[in-house]
Amino acid sequence: MGGHGVHLDPGQRRDWLRLIRAENVGPRAFRSLINRFGGAAAALEALPDLARRGGGLLAPRVPTIAEAEAEIAALARLGGRFIALGEPEYPSLLREIDDAPPLLALRGRAELLDRPTVAIVGARNASGAGRTITSRLARGLGAAGWVVASGLARGIDAAAHEASLATGTVAVIAGGHDRPYPRENEALMARIAQEGVVLSEMPMGWEPRARDFPRRNRLVSGMSLGVVVVEAAERSGSLITARLAGEQGREVLAVPGSPLDPRAGGTNALIKQGAALVTGTEDVLEVLAALRDRRPIIVEEDPAEAMEAPEPSDDSRARLLTLLGPSPLPVDELVVLSGASVSEVQILLLELELAGRLERHRNGSVSLLV
């Protein structure tokens, strides 16, 4: 996926939605399929055979055309629409991460996504002091032209959204647009959908589960130049966001707190580990000033660019399957140990993933599901 930008027609958008909603197809597999077949329609046709070669007993479940069109219509009834990876409205920084969602369900003012963005996240059980510094930071950053992103959780997230609503805020949610969470922020979500932006990669009707929140967090950090953490315990979801930000090459900043307050344990630890210390808006602006004008990477879907790659030989498949197991193995190490080409390895991994036999880990390693 690379070139001069995606401009999907309604049929392509529907096919993209069917492909990313297909069983065992995540963002990485989606990219591999588009790269290999040049478009979603051709990839959909190839799914059953790919899964069979990967050892799958059944073809992956793929939403019907009617089901995809129903989801598009349900989102439209809420005033939303789908934007595709590489389309001008898609957050430019987010498209750079290796597991960027191919499609985002969007409600609100899409033009905000073209502005420099900083994330503010923190404890759900926030203190009064934490809420106060969050509001000051969000207002100050908004006044300086920054959009503030967060995860619409109670506490610090909600304070960040409320303080930046007038200047630009983005709420990334872990469920479908028709499943506000937490319920206490339903009214705030409705306001953001009118005055800011609400984003989700999850299907309509999806009730968020525990594992969906780290997925959401990677989007909050991925679309931002930096992540400011305000109040986070030593075992906190906000620290997951900070870790993801570091892995994505984003700046990590933290507000210090009292050593006597467990809600400051995580933020103080981040500062010890090298996060920029924040006591006011100017600290954030100073760290992020040089990054503000980063330009986007453009991607596109082009059937003419389908990847020509030979199928792995039976010997290559046997060697690769022998090397894989339940313990994670880096993909580049798999290439070296197997003696296979990179394209052969990628094809086999794609087949295994579509068959439901492969797990991809965030550090680029893979393992077999047993």
Side-chain angles (χ1 to χ4, degrees):
M1 300 175 72
H4 308 295
V6 165
H7 297 282
L8 299 185
D9 62 35
Q12 287 176 313
R13 200 174 305 275
R14 180 198 63 211
D15 289 342
W16 273 45
L17 183 60
R18 292 181 67 208
L19 184 58
I20 192 55
R21 298 285 189 252
E23 184 181 17
N24 299 328
V25 176
R28 293 183 182 90
F30 184 99
R31 282 186 183 230
S32 295
L33 287 163
I34 295 294
N35 284 339
R36 180 155 176 74
F37 297 100
L44 287 166
E45 291 182 7
L47 283 183
D49 187 52
L50 290 169
R52 179 188 56 77
R53 283 186 286 178
L57 299 178
L58 299 173
R61 166 77 171 88
V62 178
T64 65
I65 291 174
E67 287 170 336
E69 290 178 343
E71 182 175 354
I72 292 170
L75 180 59
R77 285 194 293 272
L78 291 180
R81 55 197 170 87
F82 286 99
I83 56 173
L85 180 68
E87 288 189 317
E89 293 171 320
Y90 195 98
S92 59
L93 284 177
L94 184 59
R95 72 183 65 164
E96 297 179 6
I97 70 173
D98 65 355
D99 57 351
L103 288 174
L104 286 171
L106 175 148
R107 287 194 292 159
R109 298 170 53 204
E111 67 271 15
L112 292 176
L113 300 178
D114 193 43
R115 286 171 44 190
T117 301
V118 59
I120 301 179
V121 299
R124 289 175 171 81
N125 61 333
S127 69
R131 291 172 184 265
T132 297
I133 186 63
T134 297
S135 297
R136 289 179 180 175
L137 290 172
R139 280 195 296 268
L141 290 165
W146 289 79
V147 169
V148 173
S150 199
L152 199 66
R154 61 178 64 91
I156 297 300
D157 289 20
H161 289 308
E162 289 168 350
S164 58
L165 195 56
T167 52
T169 194
V170 178
V172 185
I173 59 175
H177 277 269
D178 54 347
R179 293 293 186 270
Y181 183 89
R183 286 292 179 180
E184 67 194 66
N185 285 344
E186 186 171 356
L188 176 59
M189 178 177 167
R191 290 178 62 201
I192 296 172
Q194 292 295 319
E195 303 174 49
V197 174
V198 180
L199 294 177
S200 176
E201 67 175 320
M202 305 307 289
M204 295 291 286
W206 189 269
E207 293 282 359
R209 304 160 299 175
R211 67 181 183 183
D212 296 322
F213 293 99
R215 292 185 61 176
R216 174 207 62 187
N217 294 351
R218 88 186 194 286
L219 304 186
V220 173
S221 58
M223 68 182 301
S224 305
L225 284 166
V227 174
V228 182
V229 184
V230 183
E231 290 190 341
E234 291 187 353
R235 296 180 180 271
S236 164
S238 298
L239 296 188
I240 295 176
T241 310
R243 175 177 58 80
L244 293 171
E247 292 174 358
Q248 293 165 344
R250 311 303 190 236
E251 294 291 335
V252 179
L253 309 92
V255 175
S258 169
L260 301 178
D261 189 341
R263 289 169 293 198
T267 48
N268 290 343
L270 286 175
I271 293 168
K272 289 180 181 179
Q273 295 161 13
L277 187 151
V278 172
T279 58
T281 303
E282 289 303 319
D283 296 326
V284 183
L285 295 177
E286 182 178 350
V287 170
L288 299 183
L291 305 175
R292 175 171 186 146
D293 295 324
R294 280 187 57 180
R295 305 316 305 162
I297 294 172
I298 305 299
V299 293
E300 70 174 335
E301 172 176 349
D302 185 354
E305 292 188 0
M307 181 176 64
E308 294 293 336
E311 296 294 335
S313 66
D314 290 342
D315 287 344
S316 292
R317 288 178 185 276
R319 286 198 304 273
L320 288 164
L321 287 171
T322 299
L323 290 167
L324 287 169
S327 298
L329 181 69
V331 173
D332 54 358
E333 190 172 337
L334 181 60
V335 172
V336 172
L337 291 173
S338 68
S341 69
V342 173
S343 61
E344 286 180 312
V345 171
Q346 294 295 351
I347 290 168
L348 182 69
L349 294 180
L350 176 61
E351 292 169 354
L352 291 170
E353 187 170 8
L354 294 175
R357 299 178 59 198
L358 186 81
E359 182 175 4
R360 293 186 185 269
H361 303 273
R362 192 162 292 281
N363 62 0
S365 298
V366 293
S367 62
L368 279 183
L369 294 170
V370 294

